[in-house]
Amino acid sequence: IDTSSALCTVALLLEGRVLIRRTQTAKQAALSLLPMVEELLSESALPLSALDGIAIASGPGSFTGLRIGIGAVQGLSMAAQIPVIALSNLAVACHSAIKRSTCHAAIACFHARDKEVYFGAYAANTELGVVLVGAEQVAPITKLNFDRRLAATFKCWTGIGDAWSESVTLEKRLGLNVIESTLENE
């Protein structure tokens, strides 16, 4: 479940297939989230209690959207006695970027408000997919804290996120060259 952006997305992984529902109109999570969950479960002929767990996009993102999604997931989890896992949007973006790249490390950088960016650096990990390298941050590009020794640890970095439109400023602040970058989170 992802309510962190203007659109609400619900997906179900069932026997290797991914079924997805997404709102077509922005800011409809409060009205659409639970009906989309019900629709996917009905289509799959599954009761909620049959799920192994629920994953929720935990941000960064829209504060109101995150509250709606997390509240709904807490209710679903408690009602069906199933576990929840919170996934960082930055980690998910980096995992996706690394999978499409020859690099084993990625930096997600998305525009936030007030000339700030959401920032997180992740490295590939066989058990977990990716692991955080340093700390996730929200700050102006010129104030990002990044251990420059990491630039040497991972020879190849890929970038993902709309803030890579400012790649020269980012690379100078981070002390590394990103091999490739994707402006959108695909």
Side-chain angles (χ1 to χ4, degrees):
I1 294 175
D2 185 356
T3 57
S4 64
S5 69
L7 298 179
C8 174
T9 304
V10 176
L12 175 67
L13 174 62
L14 180 64
E15 299 172 353
R17 291 181 317 145
V18 179
L19 306 171
I20 299 174
R21 296 291 182 275
R22 181 175 290 124
T23 57
Q24 299 300 312
T25 309
K27 299 182 179 181
Q28 293 297 308
L31 298 174
S32 304
L33 175 58
L34 292 176
M36 288 192 305
V37 168
E38 185 176 352
E39 185 180 315
L40 283 178
L41 290 172
S42 176
E43 179 180 322
S44 304
L46 290 173
L48 179 62
S49 60
L51 298 180
D52 294 322
I54 303 173
I56 179 76
S58 62
S62 159
F63 178 73
T64 300
L66 289 167
R67 284 185 17 206
I68 291 167
I70 291 169
V73 165
Q74 284 177 323
L76 293 169
S77 170
M78 291 175 79
Q81 299 294 302
I82 52 179
V84 172
I85 183 170
L87 300 173
S88 160
N89 294 27
L90 300 177
V92 171
C94 284
H95 183 261
S96 175
I98 290 170
K99 283 178 56 175
R100 293 191 312 264
S101 172
T102 57
C103 297
H104 297 290
I107 296 173
C109 199
F110 293 91
H111 286 112
R113 290 193 281 178
D114 301 326
K115 299 182 183 178
E116 293 181 323
V117 295
Y118 298 119
F119 174 89
Y122 285 82
N125 179 283
T126 53
E127 260 183 63
L128 301 172
V130 292
V131 292
L132 182 61
V133 180
E136 288 190 347
Q137 303 167 54
V138 59
I141 290 174
T142 56
K143 303 266 189 214
L144 291 173
N145 292 317
F146 184 74
D147 186 346
R148 290 177 177 244
R149 293 175 290 187
L150 293 172
T153 304
F154 302 99
K155 303 290 184 211
C156 178
W157 289 86
T158 187
I160 188 162
D162 59 4
W164 283 101
S165 60
E166 301 175 52
S167 61
V168 173
T169 306
L170 266 166
E171 289 177 343
K172 182 178 177 184
R173 176 66 186 171
L174 303 176
L176 59 84
N177 292 317
V178 170
I179 303 300
E180 57 195 34
S181 61
T182 305
L183 294 180
E184 295 296 320
N185 183 9
E186 300 172 355

